[in-house]
Amino acid sequence: MEEIHKAIQAMEADKSEEAISILQQYLPEADEEERFTITELYIQWGMLEEAKMILQELIQRYPKEAELKVMMAEIHIDLNEDEDAISLLNEFTPEDEGYLESLLQLADLYQSQGLFEVAEQKLLTAKQLEPNEAVIDFALGELAFSNGEYNKSLPFYENAMHHQPVIADIEVATRLAESYAATGEFEKSLEYYEKVEEDHADVLFRYGFVAYQALRNDIAIHVWERLIDNDPYYQSVYPLLAQAYETEGMPKEALNMAEKGLAKDEYNKELYHLVGTLAHKLGDKEAGYRYMREAVALDPGYKEAVLFLIENFKSDADQESIIELITELLTLGEEDPYYLFELAKAYEEEEEYKQALEHYQNAYPSLKEDDVFLKSYGYFLVEEGRMKEGQQVLEEYLAIEPSNTEVEEFLHRLKDM
C-alpha cells in the first residue's frame, strides 16, 4: 500500500503524471485488494478504460462478487456503453447481493433509452423487495414526473419524503410542489414550497410563479424579492415581479422594478414594452413612447408595441406620428394589412386623400372580409365621389353585417340619387 499512498500524495500535489506512473509500475505486483484500490483511484481520476481492464480480471476471478459487477456497470454507463451495462446487470438474480442495485441501474438505463414501461417494471420489482426504500419511491416519482404523469408521481414522492426528505441532493418537497402545481392544485403546491429549505434561484422562481398563478401576489412578491436579493442577475423575474406589483396597486414599485430589470437586460423588448406601458399609465407619456419605440426598434415585428403606439397616437390625434411609424415599418418589410388600414385612416384624417386611397386599395385584397375595414373604406370612397365603388364595398359590408340598418339606409339613399 505504500506505493499507492505515494501516488495519492503525488496527485494531491498536482503531479498527475507522476501519480499515474507510480500506479502503473506497481500494478503488476499489487495484490487483489490493492488492485481494487487502484481501480477505485482510476475511476476517481477519470481513467475509466484503465479501471475497466483491472475490473475485468477481478470479475473473472470472482464472478459472484456483486460489488465488482456494479462498479463495472457504472463504468460502462459512464463510457456510454449502455448495452454492455444492461447485459451485465441482467446477470444478477434475486439471490445476488447486488440485485436491488442492479434493478435501479437498469431502470435508469431503460429510462434514458425511452423504454419507460420496462424501467417502471424494474422499479416496481425493486419496490416489492424493499417497500419502504425512499430511493425507489423517488425514482418511481421521477419516472412518472418525466412522463407528465403528475398525479401518478404524487404518492411515490409522498412516500419518499416520509422516509427521506432529501434524496440525491434534491428536496423531495420541491418535486411535490411542482407536481401539485402541474395538476392545478396551487394551494397544495404552495404548502410544499413553504417546506423547502434551499434558496436555489430556480426553486424560488417557480415558488413565486406558482403563487402568482394562484393569485397570491403577496407570496409571489415576497419570494421574488428574496430571489433578487440572492441573485440580482436572475433576469426573468423582473417583469413578473413588476406585474405582481402592478396587480397589487403599486404602479411606482412596478415601474421601478421593470427599470431595474431593463438595466440588467437592455435588449429585452418585453421589458421595454412593460416600462413604456407603466410610464404611460403614471402620466409620463413622453417616456412611455420612448420606451415603446425602443421595443419596436429592437423588433419591428413586435406588434404589441406597434399597436400600443398606434392606439395612443390616435388618442392624441397625432396622425403624423402614425404615418411616420407605419411608413418606417413598411420600409423595413413589415407589410401587415392592418398597418395599411391604419395608414389610410391617418392620411384621411390629414386630408391627404390620394395617399389614403392608395393605402385603402392596397389593404383591400387582404381585408375584404373585415367588416370594420369595409365600412370605413366604403364611406371613404363615397366621400371621394367614387359612388359605384363605394356602393359595392358597402354591399360587401352588409353581406357580413346585415343587421346594420344605418348602412343599409345610407346605401338605399345612394342608389336613389
Side-chain angles (χ1 to χ4, degrees):
M1 279 290 185
E2 184 180 345
E3 293 299 302
I4 294 175
H5 287 306
K6 284 181 183 179
I8 293 171
Q9 289 172 349
M11 185 62 76
E12 289 174 348
D14 292 327
K15 298 177 181 178
S16 57
E17 291 184 8
E18 181 182 335
I20 294 168
S21 177
I22 291 170
L23 291 184
Q24 287 176 337
Q25 291 177 25
Y26 182 65
L27 186 60
E29 59 186 87
D31 62 29
E32 289 167 357
E33 183 181 348
E34 290 171 330
R35 293 170 81 82
F36 182 78
T37 303
I38 291 171
T39 301
E40 290 182 312
L41 289 173
Y42 277 164
I43 293 171
Q44 184 181 331
W45 297 346
M47 300 170 63
L48 301 181
E49 291 291 352
E50 291 82 353
K52 188 163 73 168
M53 290 178 65
I54 302 173
L55 272 177
Q56 285 171 342
E57 295 175 9
L58 291 172
I59 289 171
Q60 285 178 350
R61 294 183 187 180
Y62 304 99
K64 294 184 179 181
E65 188 61 50
E67 185 178 2
L68 296 176
K69 288 184 178 180
V70 170
M71 190 180 293
M72 178 65 92
E74 288 173 349
I75 289 176
H76 282 313
I77 293 168
D78 289 337
L79 291 172
N80 295 316
E81 299 168 350
D82 289 358
E83 293 307 317
D84 289 330
I86 289 171
S87 177
L88 186 60
L89 291 168
N90 274 321
E91 292 178 8
F92 283 84
T93 66
E95 292 75 29
D96 292 331
E97 185 181 339
Y99 182 57
L100 183 64
E101 190 169 353
S102 73
L103 289 171
L104 294 176
Q105 285 193 323
L106 280 168
D108 191 47
L109 282 166
Y110 285 128
Q111 183 177 349
S112 70
Q113 294 182 344
L115 300 171
F116 303 116
E117 291 183 7
V118 182
E120 183 181 37
Q121 192 55 52
K122 295 296 180 185
L123 290 173
L124 290 173
T125 302
K127 186 167 175 60
Q128 287 178 342
L129 294 172
E130 292 288 345
N132 297 319
E133 178 55 59
V135 172
I136 298 171
D137 277 313
F138 184 72
L140 282 162
E142 293 283 86
L143 181 60
F145 188 92
S146 68
N147 288 331
E149 299 174 295
Y150 304 111
N151 276 316
K152 187 175 178 179
S153 74
L154 289 169
F156 294 122
Y157 282 141
E158 284 170 347
N159 287 340
M161 185 173 173
H162 178 71
H163 293 97
Q164 191 175 329
V166 180
I167 298 174
D169 295 327
I170 297 170
E171 286 192 62
V172 184
T174 62
R175 291 293 200 262
L176 279 163
E178 285 295 306
S179 297
Y180 276 116
T183 60
E185 294 189 53
F186 299 125
E187 291 296 335
K188 192 76 174 173
S189 173
L190 292 177
E191 287 179 21
Y192 279 102
Y193 269 122
E194 287 172 9
K195 297 176 182 179
V196 176
E197 295 182 5
E198 65 176 326
D199 264 2
H200 190 279
D202 290 339
V203 173
L204 289 175
F205 179 79
R206 286 292 303 160
Y207 183 6
F209 190 72
V210 170
Y212 186 68
Q213 287 179 299
L215 305 180
R216 291 297 306 273
N217 289 310
D218 55 328
I219 297 176
I221 288 169
H222 173 72
V223 172
W224 282 336
E225 285 177 341
R226 199 166 98 216
L227 167 55
I228 287 175
D229 286 342
N230 292 350
D231 184 359
Y233 289 92
Y234 201 98
Q235 296 169 353
S236 54
V237 75
Y238 286 93
L240 289 169
L241 181 50
Q243 288 165 18
Y245 279 135
E246 186 185 14
T247 304
E248 290 298 291
M250 304 163 69
K252 290 182 180 178
E253 289 83 353
L255 177 59
N256 180 53
M257 188 54 61
E259 287 175 333
K260 284 182 178 178
L262 205 51
K264 300 285 189 298
D265 188 5
E266 59 183 328
Y267 298 107
N268 187 321
K269 65 182 182 182
E270 283 86 5
L271 270 173
Y272 277 107
H273 179 273
L274 180 58
V275 173
T277 302
L278 292 168
H280 195 274
K281 283 184 179 180
L282 286 168
D284 192 347
K285 281 189 174 184
E286 183 181 344
Y289 288 142
R290 184 174 70 252
Y291 283 112
M292 208 61 71
R293 282 185 178 277
E294 287 287 347
V296 176
L298 283 170
D299 179 9
Y302 189 17
K303 286 188 178 180
E304 196 170 355
V306 172
L307 294 176
F308 174 94
L309 288 168
I310 290 172
E311 291 305 314
N312 283 283
F313 286 149
K314 283 161 72 172
S315 297
D316 296 342
D318 187 357
Q319 310 302 329
E320 289 185 7
S321 291
I322 295 175
I323 292 168
E324 177 194 346
L325 172 66
I326 297 178
T327 301
E328 183 181 352
L329 290 171
L330 294 173
T331 302
L332 293 170
E334 297 296 326
E335 295 190 8
D336 188 303
Y338 287 101
Y339 293 170
L340 296 173
F341 181 23
E342 293 294 347
L343 191 54
K345 290 190 290 183
Y347 276 122
E348 185 179 357
E349 288 291 328
E350 290 291 286
E351 299 182 359
E352 295 186 38
Y353 302 121
K354 183 179 178 181
Q355 293 273 40
L357 176 61
E358 178 187 343
H359 293 296
Y360 269 123
Q361 289 172 331
N362 289 338
Y364 176 74
S366 299
L367 299 180
K368 58 185 178 182
E369 295 183 4
D370 185 298
D371 59 326
V372 176
F373 171 78
L374 291 173
K375 182 179 177 182
S376 180
Y377 185 25
Y379 276 121
F380 171 78
L381 289 169
V382 172
E383 288 291 326
E384 284 298 287
R386 296 172 174 261
M387 298 299 180
K388 287 186 179 180
E389 293 175 66
Q391 286 180 34
Q392 179 187 335
V393 171
L394 289 175
E395 283 172 356
E396 291 172 12
Y397 167 78
L398 284 175
I400 298 171
E401 286 290 336
S403 62
N404 193 322
T405 55
E406 181 184 335
V407 174
E408 186 178 19
E409 290 170 4
F410 178 74
L411 198 54
H412 281 310
R413 289 197 297 273
L414 284 179
K415 290 178 180 179
D416 293 338
M417 290 175 66

